[in-house]
Amino acid sequence: GGAVGIGSCIGWGDPHLRTFDGMRADYYSSGDYYLVKSGPVSIQAQYLPTKFTNGLAVTKMVAIGGPVLKGNKLVIGPLAATWKGA
């Protein structure tokens, strides 16, 4: 198997990311995207346009799940966050 290491990625503003390998990604198109997809954890983001961004997508929701959360899921939205779907 491959080596397992510790890394970091950063999200800022609305659709901007610095990936684990140091590349930049900007998600201006609507859709659901994996920000992290690995064995222990997955992080997905939903991007949708707003009237304030002239149709460009912004981060609307982030969901974190996987074995690292022992089968639970954390969903962070614009007005609230849920744990285990509650």
Side-chain angles (χ1 to χ4, degrees):
V4 176
I6 296 175
S8 64
C9 65
I10 301 168
W12 74 95
D14 285 323
H16 311 297
L17 295 171
R18 177 83 53 202
T19 62
F20 288 106
D21 60 1
M23 302 298 292
R24 183 175 167 150
D26 299 308
Y27 292 93
Y28 293 112
S29 299
S30 297
D32 297 329
Y33 298 95
Y34 276 99
L35 306 180
V36 176
K37 188 175 182 182
S38 68
V41 67
S42 64
I43 303 173
Q44 288 180 278
Q46 181 180 65
Y47 297 92
L48 296 170
T50 72
K51 63 182 179 181
F52 304 107
T53 57
N54 298 316
L56 295 177
V58 299
T59 309
K60 287 293 190 172
M61 201 169 304
V62 175
I64 305 166
V68 72
L69 294 181
K70 297 178 174 52
N72 297 302
K73 186 187 300 183
L74 174 63
V75 179
I76 304 165
L79 301 175
T82 60
W83 175 252
K84 299 183 186 180

